[in-house]
Amino acid sequence: MSHTASPAPRTKWQRWLLAGLIAGTLILGFWGNCRHAQESPHQHSTGHDPASPPAPNLWSVGYHTLQFLLLHGTHLAEPVPWQLQWGRWLGACFLFVLGVAAFVKFFRDEILFYCLRRPWLRFRWLRLRWLRLPWLHSWLHSWLHFWKRKHVVICGLGDLGMRLAIDARKDTFVVAIEKQKSTAIELARDLGILVIEGDACEVEILKRAALDQCESLFVACPDDATNAAIATRAGGLIPREPRLDSPVICRLLVHEAEMRHLLKREKVFEWGSGAAGPHPNYRVHFNDLDLPDTAVRQALRMFPLDIQPILRDSDETRVHVVVVGGGPIGYAMVVHAARFGHFANETPARRIRITLVDAEATARVEKFKKRWDKWEEFCELIALDLDHSSPDFIARLKEYLQPVSPGDPDGPDELQTVVLCLETAESVPEYVTSENDDKNWRLGLELTNLTNQGRRQLLTYQSTRNGFAALLSTNTTENPRRLHPFGMIEDLHSQSVLLKESEYQLARAIHERYVKHHGGDSWESLSEDIQESNRHAADHALVKLRALGYHQAPLKPDQSRIESFSDPEKLLVAKMEHKRWCAERWLADWKYGPQTIKEKKIHKDLVPWEELPEKEQRKDFEQIEALPEILFAIGRGIYR
């Protein structure tokens, strides 16, 4: 079931303005005409007593009043009452406002298209931010943003594209391209979005969107092949001459994980490879619109795998992630758990354990291990072949999950996260069905009666908050059963979430400090993979702080923050960081070699901590030492 994006609330100030002008014109005009009819010299010259003038002819007064709305009225002798003057002027204002509204309604797109290709008409100096009042109509809001030099282009007004357009128009001017005749086009126009009707695969249609002047391009059509074609032709329209500002970023939606991995690995969108090098003004990012990846990343930030603190090497607790479902969400959960599951007590015997539960679990696990031959070095991956449609599925799953308590002599000491992500629409993961929600919800309720819920959490994948997810809370204290929803469409389909803006600040700060001390490229010049690596480091920083018994939060003036770590703490966290970095590199298809060759994804530091040169170990120490300073610079502190 596709969930249609809900439009932003529309104000009715235009209608109220026109209604007020009409009412003012009629009331003041009628009043003024009556007074003028009584006070005019013509009435006095007919022999009536000035002290008691005759009543005016109401039919004539009403007719002359209605003429004000057409900017037409009889010539009136002076003096004219003030009510009549105001009524005539309000009638003129009504006709003027009505004419402007009609002009904007019928010629808005033509004006915007003309200005879009002529940046000098946009008055870049004009910043009328003080006019952003709640009562302004949405199209006026977009006009104010249009005066900025940059704009955002969105190809495809489907569920994802429409939500992105609605979210983006809050901060910038949006141009959308859609070829299917649908209500989404009219809805977008009502919200102040400039819509180009046509096929975005056609070069002429893309040219009309002024790609060479846009800030970013979102390609979010339902078909992967169509998206790839759009991204390719868009890159051909971007000039290769040096730009004074940042390059155009194309956020490309590729539904199929294997295809996305292949396109990234082969670098098919780096035009002009060889002597010319990659396109200097155009970048294609795959991860920003990877919806399963975003859903899992968000879930692990809200519900960490280390449910209870794993503080030191002596802790015998082991983290166990049970993923029920082998679709795109399950795939992303397995990869992220392997990437981030590195804790203070990690040893070969206490590596994170990941169990994949699916009808074809063994085949899927073998596929994982074939793709990443170093898998066993950083996690233990187990296959449990269970078909969720079989009658004994729940009973067998409960039997597998039951022993998690250290008091159980037959069971391991585990912190268990059970992820319920049964999916039927594997090819297009953002179009999930209520049937999936129902299955995951029912399964979650069945598992909540297992013992030792204090050491187990259940995460159920739900497509929307307007369903079973409304019955659950993401707050652990308000949800003692630890059954939490994640992946809701309302939480994912926004720029701030998809572009990882909450992680961007810390990741950028970590990179900028590294560049300051060791040199390197600026953040804007980094490839998508390196930016993503910095975001992974920022994510895992929270795991490291929990390993030391700390947490990060906005600065608290009434509470002292941690400004430095002890040497044993630095050593512990530095080892955690190196293990995380190695797992991330292996999962990004890097290999070990005696010399680092970045172009071939070969790195000499993919070795155990004990074999790492002291100079490289020092880099991990420096990153940990700088963490309090980095967090303080972005307005956050470390507290016990």
Side-chain angles (χ1 to χ4, degrees), residues 425-447:
E426 292 190 14
S427 60
V428 189
E430 76 271 26
Y431 296 124
V432 293
T433 66
S434 57
E435 180 186 1
N436 293 330
D437 289 355
D438 182 71
K439 290 177 182 177
N440 292 325
W441 166 255
R442 289 175 180 271
L443 184 55
L445 289 182
E446 290 282 355
L447 298 179

Side-chain angles (χ1 to χ4, degrees), residues 299-606:
L300 294 183
R301 286 171 64 87
M302 296 176 63
F303 314 110
L305 299 178
D306 46 335
I307 305 169
Q308 297 178 1
I310 302 176
L311 298 177
R312 293 293 183 269
D313 294 346
S314 58
D315 194 331
E316 295 293 331
T317 303
R318 186 173 188 177
V319 173
H320 186 189
V321 181
V322 182
V323 181
V324 183
I329 298 292
Y331 177 94
M333 182 61 73
V334 170
V335 174
H336 270 280
R339 180 181 289 130
F340 292 112
H342 305 282
F343 307 100
N345 66 341
E346 182 175 352
T347 64
R350 290 197 294 263
R351 294 168 299 170
I352 184 173
R353 175 180 292 164
I354 304 174
T355 300
L356 180 61
V357 182
D358 189 72
E360 301 177 355
T362 299
R364 295 181 186 275
V365 166
E366 290 302 319
K367 191 174 182 180
F368 274 112
K369 293 180 178 180
K370 183 178 180 180
R371 175 174 170 183
W372 294 295
D373 56 353
K374 295 291 184 179
W375 191 270
E376 296 294 338
E377 294 193 9
F378 47 85
C379 78
E380 179 184 355
L381 186 58
I382 301 172
L384 183 60
D385 292 317
L386 285 179
D387 187 349
H388 67 84
S389 61
S390 63
D392 61 342
F393 173 73
I394 294 178
R396 292 180 61 186
L397 183 59
K398 284 185 176 180
E399 182 181 359
Y400 181 78
L401 297 176
Q402 187 60 48
V404 298
S405 171
D408 186 346
D410 299 325
D413 184 5
E414 287 186 351
L415 295 178
Q416 199 175 88
T417 298
V418 184
V419 185
L420 310 174
C421 50
L422 298 173
E423 301 170 79
T424 56
E426 292 190 14
S427 60
V428 189
E430 76 271 26
Y431 296 124
V432 293
T433 66
S434 57
E435 180 186 1
N436 293 330
D437 289 355
D438 182 71
K439 290 177 182 177
N440 292 325
W441 166 255
R442 289 175 180 271
L443 184 55
L445 289 182
E446 290 282 355
L447 298 179
T448 53
N449 60 4
L450 292 174
T451 60
N452 264 315
Q453 291 295 349
R455 299 179 66 82
R456 177 188 290 114
Q457 62 180 350
L458 303 170
L459 308 183
T460 175
Y461 179 53
Q462 297 289 298
S463 65
T464 175
R465 286 198 171 277
N466 300 323
F468 292 115
L471 304 176
L472 301 174
S473 172
T474 56
N475 190 323
T476 303
T477 59
E478 298 176 0
N479 192 347
R481 291 186 174 185
R482 290 183 180 267
L483 175 60
H484 304 292
F486 78 97
M488 286 75 71
I489 194 171
E490 295 85 355
D491 295 345
L492 298 184
H493 285 198
S494 68
Q495 283 200 114
S496 59
V497 174
L498 291 173
L499 304 189
K500 309 173 182 66
E501 291 179 1
S502 60
E503 308 155 44
Y504 172 88
Q505 197 175 20
L506 179 56
R508 180 166 184 160
I510 291 174
H511 175 73
E512 288 177 347
R513 191 185 186 282
Y514 180 87
V515 171
K516 180 179 178 181
H517 290 83
H518 300 282
D521 297 329
S522 65
W523 177 266
E524 290 77 10
S525 302
L526 295 177
S527 65
E528 182 190 23
D529 288 341
I530 302 301
Q531 288 187 355
E532 193 70 6
S533 178
N534 280 278
R535 293 190 181 109
H536 293 326
D539 279 344
H540 199 257
L542 309 181
V543 179
K544 299 182 181 74
L545 292 179
R546 288 194 294 270
L548 302 178
Y550 306 140
H551 74 284
Q552 61 91 24
L555 292 174
K556 305 174 182 178
D558 58 338
Q559 187 174 347
S560 60
R561 61 185 179 89
I562 304 298
E563 299 186 14
S564 62
F565 302 124
S566 65
D567 289 341
E569 289 176 331
K570 294 176 186 176
L571 178 60
L572 174 67
V573 177
K575 289 181 178 180
M576 291 176 62
E577 169 58 20
H578 182 65
K579 291 175 182 177
R580 179 211 66 81
W581 179 83
C582 287
E584 177 207 300
R585 295 290 88 186
W586 291 123
L587 289 171
D589 299 318
W590 285 67
K591 307 294 182 183
Y592 167 77
Q595 296 295 328
T596 298
I597 307 175
K598 293 183 179 180
E599 294 76 14
K600 296 183 179 180
K601 289 192 172 183
I602 298 175
H603 210 293
K604 62 182 179 62
D605 294 333
L606 287 170

Side-chain angles (χ1 to χ4, degrees), residues 211-212 231-243 246-249 267-284 524-526:
L211 293 180
D212 56 324
T232 302
R233 286 166 186 163
L237 296 176
I238 307 297
R240 296 188 64 91
E241 292 75 16
R243 293 166 59 108
S246 57
V248 174
I249 303 298
K267 300 180 180 180
V268 296
F269 290 103
E270 290 192 6
W271 290 268
S273 58
H279 199 302
N281 298 324
Y282 186 71
R283 307 275 178 82
V284 177
E524 290 77 10
S525 302
L526 295 177

